[in-house]
Amino acid sequence: MLGSWRLFKLHIYAWWEGYDADELLAYYEQKSQPAGSATGDEGERQVTVPPLAPWENPRIRIMQLIWGAGWDKPGGAEHVLRLVKPFSLDPSKSIMEFGAGLGGGARTIAHDCAVWVTAFEGDAELTKAGKNLSVLAGLDRKAEMQLHVPNDFQPGPKHFDCILSAETLFAYPGKYELLAQFQDTLKAQGQMSITDFVLAPGASPDDERLRGIHDRPVEFWRADQYEARFRELNLDLRITEDITDQYRKLILAGLANFAQGDAVTLATARTYPEAVAAELNKWTVRLKAFDAGLLQVVRLFVIKKGGAKLMSDW
């Protein structure tokens, strides 16, 4: 009989080959141990699962198990730093991150680029966890996490040099007005880097295969809708790039690391099976939507017109 860790890997690979990840739930429920500890079979050593922090829950623990400590989505620091590279950040600049999740991106930018980051997140649980993670990293002031409340969101005119929003805006039905707020809070010649899930040409937002793509309501735009809105706002769109293939690789890398994790990973997954199944199912839907030609991931780079010219304008 296979040891529990090898069984776990086999179930991850079975899920990847097309089985419903809910089948994992039944397996983990059968094998699960009480929260706080888990013991492997066939002579495997006992492994203690660290208890959840007061600001943590099973969903947040499993997100970090898959995507890395402090992260709730694929790519990690390398992906975020690639997105902000065109900003040429230095300590004189300020940046807003919208859709910061657990704050991994904000902390990376604050630490590596020596800038102050104001990070907004619409999920109250992620915001609370992100605040605590920033405190633990000693970056609670330089990577400040704030809860985004639509009716109270007033970042202020001409306040930020740069804005980053990574794989977030599809989950904000009010983004038509939100983009106007972004435009208003950017300084003249301010820069904005956005990546988002968008509808592929000919795809319908009502397609049943898009159900379950997120745990709150979504509003998918097409890339040309972003382009039209930027024109309305007199923003200079410099780059529209399809990065679906690259992003798909980031997802697969995270899932592979999860499947190849250590005994603590197994014990944690067995302790919180519902959170494992929910996270895997969410990303399954997204991967299948990419493969079916329903969704794309696009990168958009925008500059606010006005003020002194950039070197690229000469």
Side-chain angles (χ1 to χ4, degrees):
M1 184 175 179
L2 292 173
S4 58
W5 182 233
R6 292 181 66 193
L7 280 169
F8 173 64
K9 287 187 177 182
L10 285 175
H11 277 72
I12 291 290
Y13 290 129
W15 160 79
W16 177 242
E17 290 298 324
Y19 292 101
D20 191 326
D22 285 334
E23 293 185 7
L24 288 173
L25 179 57
Y27 169 75
Y28 288 130
E29 285 180 337
Q30 180 182 0
K31 295 286 186 180
S32 63
Q33 302 291 328
S37 69
T39 305
D41 52 17
E42 299 186 15
E44 292 182 353
R45 67 183 180 87
Q46 182 172 338
V47 178
T48 299
V49 177
L52 296 173
W55 45 266
E56 200 178 14
N57 60 31
R59 176 175 71 123
I60 290 169
R61 174 67 63 87
I62 295 302
M63 282 178 171
Q64 295 184 87
L65 197 68
I66 297 174
W67 307 118
W71 297 89
D72 60 296
K73 62 183 75 171
E78 184 178 353
H79 177 55
V80 166
L81 291 175
R82 189 182 304 117
L83 295 178
V84 301
K85 184 177 181 180
F87 294 162
S88 299
L89 293 172
D90 60 54
S92 70
K93 294 183 178 178
S94 61
I95 179 170
M96 177 177 81
E97 183 184 12
F98 190 87
L102 290 172
R107 289 185 293 275
T108 295
I109 295 166
H111 179 270
D112 287 28
C113 304
V115 297
W116 294 77
V117 184
T118 302
F120 289 94
E121 170 54 45
D123 184 306
E125 292 180 346
L126 296 185
T127 304
K128 181 179 179 180
K131 285 182 178 181
N132 282 274
L133 289 167
S134 289
V135 169
L136 291 172
L139 291 168
D140 49 312
R141 295 186 62 194
K142 290 201 71 174
E144 180 188 5
M145 292 286 299
Q146 296 186 26
L147 178 64
H148 172 254
V149 180
N151 292 336
D152 298 333
F153 183 61
Q154 296 179 340
K158 300 180 181 179
H159 190 76
F160 293 102
D161 296 286
C162 307
I163 295 175
L164 170 68
S165 180
E167 303 94 61
T168 292
L169 294 181
F170 75 99
Y172 286 84
K175 62 178 152 284
Y176 186 86
E177 293 301 327
L178 189 59
L179 290 173
Q181 291 177 301
F182 287 1
Q183 189 269 359
D184 182 63
T185 200
L186 272 180
K187 299 177 183 178
Q189 293 296 321
Q191 303 166 84
M192 184 158 53
S193 180
I194 293 174
T195 57
D196 201 18
F197 301 139
V198 301
L199 286 174
S204 168
D206 300 321
D207 194 301
E208 287 293 315
R209 291 170 290 179
L210 295 176
R211 294 187 64 179
I213 205 148
H214 202 51
D215 50 14
R216 65 177 192 247
V218 299
E219 180 188 78
F220 290 116
W221 276 13
R222 299 182 309 275
D224 61 358
Q225 288 177 277
Y226 272 109
E227 294 167 355
R229 185 58 175 145
F230 291 147
R231 286 194 297 270
E232 292 174 353
L233 295 170
N234 198 32
L235 293 169
D236 184 5
L237 177 61
R238 297 293 181 90
I239 296 172
T240 302
E241 179 186 10
D242 183 347
I243 62 168
T244 309
D245 289 343
Q246 299 97 301
Y247 195 76
R248 190 176 186 278
K249 291 177 182 177
L250 297 179
I251 298 172
L252 296 179
L255 296 177
N257 288 336
F258 178 52
Q260 296 167 14
D262 58 15
V264 176
T265 300
L266 166 65
T268 306
R270 288 171 59 185
T271 302
Y272 305 115
E274 293 183 358
V276 172
E279 190 70 6
L280 293 182
N281 279 332
K282 178 174 70 177
W283 289 97
T284 300
V285 173
R286 295 175 182 186
L287 284 167
K288 289 182 177 179
F290 298 155
D291 293 344
L294 298 173
L295 282 187
Q296 298 171 325
V297 187
V298 297
R299 180 173 77 95
L300 305 151
F301 183 73
V302 177
I303 295 174
K304 183 175 180 177
K305 298 178 182 180
K309 288 187 177 182
L310 300 175
M311 288 298 295
S312 58
D313 294 323
W314 292 93

